[in-house]
Amino acid sequence: MLRFRTEGFNGCAVKYSPFFDSRIAVAGSANFGLVGNGRLYILDLTPNGIVPLKWFTTQDSLYDLAWSEIHENQALVASGDGSIKLFDATVNEFPVQAWKEHNREVFSVHWNLVAKDRFCSSSWDGTVKIWSPQRPQSLLTLPTHSCTYSAEWSPHSPDVLSCVSSDSYVRMFDLRTPASASNHLTLQIPIHGAASTLVPMGNKPGMATAPAAAPPSEALTHDWNKYRPSILATAGVDKTIRTFDIRAPQQGPLTVMVGHDYAVRKIAWSPHLPDLLLSASYDMTCRAWTDRSSEPGAGGDGDLMRAGPGGPIMGRELGRMGNHTEFVTGIDWCLFGSEGWCASVGWDEQLLVWDVRAVMG
């Protein structure tokens, strides 16, 4: 396990470079993101450990980051002052571009993996915005009317993006549809519908009970499956990870994964295996899960057999990493090499690079 200390800055997000297998970026904030500066670290993995290539200090906290998909040295950061900044590792001190239209904290940024000339951002101001690095103003604003913690482009379509927010909905937007009154909104899934609030049955492993009443709670993170275009996962304050099939939203979640002791701050599907998911939580652990779509009984396209009428399957925890000593806020997979390497950051000022296969036994 490799370590790097982001001294004076509590980690908020981590991302591997899509161009270099040995480069990682970390976004951190002083004073746990409540007040003070932020810092973007560009780090290289070397035979001598993790070595800083460059860092940039900002006037306000940083909550998320995204590598550019068109320039190997550039990365976006999401700032607490409502701005988005683009930094270049080959340019000293200042951002090469900046945008400021959000009225509150920007909590996520995500670069389009298909149409690589645009990216999106989401904010506590209740909007998702679409941007081009070539334009000084946003291309489009999509209202969510709720504090929006996570927005992502689909890795399978250049025009589809999704977001989760404090009102416990996952929303889908398709930019190919007419704007009209819906602002490209094509789907809203209530994360905490009746079928989403299930608990394990003690006498039948992998099965779930009948729906139980549970109030909606804030959704903090979500991610698209890299192999199954209609599957995404959500997680948040209720400590539960759920997977949904956007082709059948009325059926509720396909899989429910329960085990974290506190809120789940970040989830990430594996870029190597279709059923493997990583989570980072305020309980100071990172955990690996399978949604069991690769087990016997799963459909050919990864859909699971139902555990009773309308009920989801219980996912299975494969292992956990407990080396952080504070909230774990960021997790990301390495795209290159062996299929288990990942990086995590937390409020303990630690970046850890480790092999998921080791905790999975």
Side-chain angles (χ1 to χ4, degrees):
M1 183 176 289
L2 299 176
R3 298 173 181 265
F4 178 83
R5 186 178 177 198
T6 56
E7 187 172 0
F9 292 87
N10 310 106
C12 292
V14 60
K15 291 290 170 61
Y16 273 93
S17 166
F19 295 97
F20 303 109
D21 60 356
S22 60
R23 187 160 294 175
I24 296 176
V26 174
S29 299
N31 304 306
F32 308 101
L34 298 176
V35 65
N37 302 110
R39 181 169 287 178
L40 170 67
Y41 295 85
I42 309 295
L43 307 169
D44 279 342
L45 303 176
T46 75
N48 298 318
I50 302 176
V51 176
L53 173 69
K54 198 92 166 183
W55 65 70
F56 302 92
T57 303
T58 58
Q59 289 188 337
D60 212 312
S61 302
L62 300 182
Y63 295 124
D64 197 20
L65 68 96
W67 283 100
S68 168
E69 291 288 330
I70 54 178
H71 196 301
E72 67 271 18
N73 292 313
Q74 295 183 351
L76 290 166
V77 291
S79 179
D81 63 3
S83 69
I84 303 163
K85 295 178 174 66
L86 182 68
F87 287 98
D88 190 310
T90 63
V91 176
N92 288 328
E93 197 170 345
F94 298 108
V96 294
Q97 200 160 349
W99 302 266
K100 192 175 188 307
E101 291 184 17
H102 286 293
N103 298 320
R104 293 197 61 191
E105 291 87 340
V106 183
F107 214 66
S108 77
V109 285
H110 191 258
W111 209 286
N112 195 315
L113 302 178
V114 185
K116 299 184 178 184
D117 60 343
R118 50 184 146 157
F119 60 91
C120 68
S121 62
S122 72
S123 169
W124 292 4
D125 65 7
T127 65
V128 173
K129 288 181 179 285
I130 313 299
W131 310 82
S132 165
Q134 310 301 326
R135 296 276 297 273
Q137 290 88 30
S138 63
L139 303 175
L140 187 63
T141 298
L142 305 170
T144 64
H145 310 293
S146 186
C147 177
T148 306
Y149 291 109
S150 172
E152 273 196 15
W153 295 96
S154 166
H156 308 281
S157 170
D159 298 301
V160 174
L161 70 157
S162 57
C163 65
V164 294
S165 48
S166 59
D167 63 359
S168 179
Y169 276 87
V170 55
R171 291 177 170 85
M172 311 288 305
F173 299 92
D174 189 335
L175 304 186
R176 296 167 296 187
T177 62
S180 64
S182 66
N183 291 292
H184 304 287
L185 181 66
T186 56
L187 185 64
Q188 287 190 122
I189 303 175
I191 296 172
H192 294 85
S196 295
T197 54
L198 305 173
V199 295
M201 290 178 68
N203 59 340
K204 294 183 180 180
M207 304 291 281
T209 65
S217 61
E218 293 187 313
L220 302 178
T221 178
H222 78 302
D223 194 31
W224 287 87
N225 190 286
K226 309 306 185 291
Y227 292 88
R228 293 174 282 159
S230 65
I231 305 298
L232 55 79
T234 68
V237 171
D238 71 348
K239 306 173 285 188
T240 303
I241 304 167
R242 298 173 176 85
T243 68
F244 293 90
D245 189 332
I246 62 174
R247 298 169 301 179
Q250 71 284 353
Q251 294 182 15
L254 294 174
T255 316
V256 173
M257 289 164 259
V258 180
H260 278 294
D261 299 317
Y262 292 103
V264 180
R265 177 64 184 83
K266 186 72 175 178
I267 55 175
W269 285 103
S270 168
H272 306 287
L273 299 169
D275 65 322
L276 186 60
L277 183 76
L278 265 182
S279 59
S281 169
Y282 290 161
D283 66 10
M284 299 185 247
T285 68
C286 300
R287 307 194 188 195
W289 307 83
T290 174
D291 70 354
R292 303 177 64 200
S293 58
S294 297
E295 294 182 5
D301 60 353
D303 294 338
L304 293 169
M305 290 182 63
R306 295 291 174 169
I313 286 282
M314 296 303 300
R316 185 158 50 90
E317 182 182 327
L318 300 175
R320 68 183 69 176
M321 187 276 283
N323 293 70
H324 283 284
T325 57
E326 255 294 352
F327 294 170
V328 190
T329 51
I331 194 96
D332 194 37
W333 293 90
C334 181
L335 300 173
F336 303 94
S338 299
E339 59 195 29
W341 288 98
C342 74
S344 58
V345 294
W347 279 10
D348 55 2
E349 302 181 0
Q350 293 286 335
L351 161 70
L352 302 181
V353 176
W354 47 286
D355 191 343
V356 178
R357 294 166 298 181
V359 304
M360 289 167 56

